[in-house]
Amino acid sequence: MSRAQTNLFSLGLEDHDRLNKELGGGVPRGSIVLAEGDYGAGKSAMSQRFTYGFCEEGHSVTYLSTELTVRGFIDQMHSLSYDMVDHLLDEDVLFLHADFDTGGRLADEGEGERKELLKRLMNAETMWNSDVIVIDTFDAILRNDPKFEALVRQNEERQAALEIIGFFRDVISQGKVIVLTVDPSTVDEEAIGPFRSIADVFLELEMVEVGNDVRRQISVKRFAGMGQQVGDTIGYSVRSGTGIVIESRSVA
């Protein structure tokens, strides 16, 4: 095995789809992956594919969802042919659910109380013990953190992002991978800008109209430390009973 390959966390499932090959053999160790896309672009399905592939390759994963309960997570993964039950039982994956109510509070918080979510996130030591940490969706954390929100209102977006970015850098310095999914339509450009800047792998998940069809594609904006050649645009679909399917590839 080459040095480049040993520095990658393989996405596995070589017999199932071509995603690992299209992304050059895996995600570099010690990297931040930012996957952006509007509602329906496939962010959750892609992060779930990453999670299942990492687990199948023997890596431990923490998956924090702001939308799914553990039951919903298991059901959705099963619908994509990614059976997570054994991985959950074997503690290969730690699933966490951040349950926000309509007022932006976590469900277990008192009336009128909105705590600093990013601070709580950084202090949750157990979730950062895994090889890979997936946060789906990270924009929900940003939008519901009162301190971050207040700084953004004062046009202090970079100051708001500074602490969590420094924390992320400490985590990946241990050779871990952090995967963040973001819906850019829900946060200001200035607020997400710092995270785009520090991402080692920056993927845009897009829906493109072709005739009467709407097709999904991954636009690779940045891929530092890649193994083999990575396509600049990778067409894909999400199919029930199959999961992620690579449709096409074009290389710049």
Side-chain angles (χ1 to χ4, degrees), residues 41 204-208 215-219 233-236:
E204 280 190 355
L205 278 56
E206 304 170 312
M207 292 180 289
V208 181
R215 299 181 184 177
R216 290 187 173 98
Q217 67 181 32
I218 303 169
S219 181
T233 304
I234 304 166
Y236 75 98

Side-chain angles (χ1 to χ4, degrees), residues 5-39:
Q5 288 175 310
T6 59
N7 198 43
L8 300 173
F9 279 0
S10 172
L11 292 164
L13 307 188
E14 299 284 2
D15 297 331
H16 189 86
D17 60 43
R18 303 198 317 271
L19 182 63
N20 192 59
K21 182 178 180 182
E22 296 293 328
L23 292 178
V27 176
R29 296 173 185 267
S31 62
I32 296 172
V33 180
L34 181 64
E36 279 193 17
D38 293 334
Y39 179 80

Side-chain angles (χ1 to χ4, degrees), residues 38-204:
D38 293 334
Y39 179 80
K43 297 185 301 298
S44 290
M46 191 63 68
S47 64
Q48 289 158 14
R49 163 64 181 85
F50 274 41
T51 297
Y52 183 63
F54 286 138
C55 285
E56 288 286 288
E57 290 295 301
H59 302 299
S60 58
V61 180
T62 294
Y63 190 104
L64 173 65
S65 174
T66 61
E67 298 175 347
L68 297 173
T69 62
V70 65
R71 180 74 257 174
F73 175 69
I74 292 171
D75 288 347
Q76 187 160 318
M77 294 290 270
H78 180 72
S79 74
L80 296 173
S81 193
Y82 305 146
D83 188 359
M84 291 301 297
V85 174
D86 286 344
H87 288 303
L88 284 163
L89 292 175
D90 292 339
E91 299 183 350
D92 299 330
V93 61
L94 171 64
F95 178 84
L96 302 171
H97 173 46
D99 185 13
F100 296 114
D101 67 15
T102 55
R105 294 178 298 271
L106 287 172
D108 62 351
E109 292 178 354
E111 185 64 31
E113 183 180 19
R114 290 182 64 201
K115 295 181 180 177
E116 295 177 20
L117 298 179
L118 291 172
K119 190 174 205 176
R120 293 178 68 175
L121 197 71
M122 291 185 283
N123 289 336
E125 294 182 12
T126 302
M127 73 171 285
W128 304 101
N129 289 337
S130 300
D131 300 326
V132 181
I133 300 91
V134 179
I135 303 178
D136 179 39
T137 56
F138 185 57
D139 58 273
I141 305 288
L142 299 181
R143 285 183 284 110
N144 287 290
D145 185 306
K147 182 179 178 183
F148 189 90
E149 183 183 59
L151 284 169
V152 168
R153 283 202 304 269
Q154 297 167 27
N155 295 318
E156 295 288 344
E157 292 85 0
R158 292 195 173 275
Q159 178 61 37
L162 194 60
E163 187 177 4
I164 187 67
I165 286 175
F167 177 79
F168 284 164
R169 288 195 184 280
D170 287 342
V171 172
I172 65 171
S173 71
Q174 303 168 46
K176 300 175 184 289
V177 169
I178 297 174
V179 180
L180 308 172
T181 70
V182 172
D183 181 344
S185 69
T186 67
V187 287
D188 291 339
E189 286 280 323
E190 293 79 7
I192 198 61
F195 298 97
R196 287 175 177 156
S197 298
I198 58 100
D200 303 285
V201 178
F202 180 18
L203 309 174
E204 280 190 355

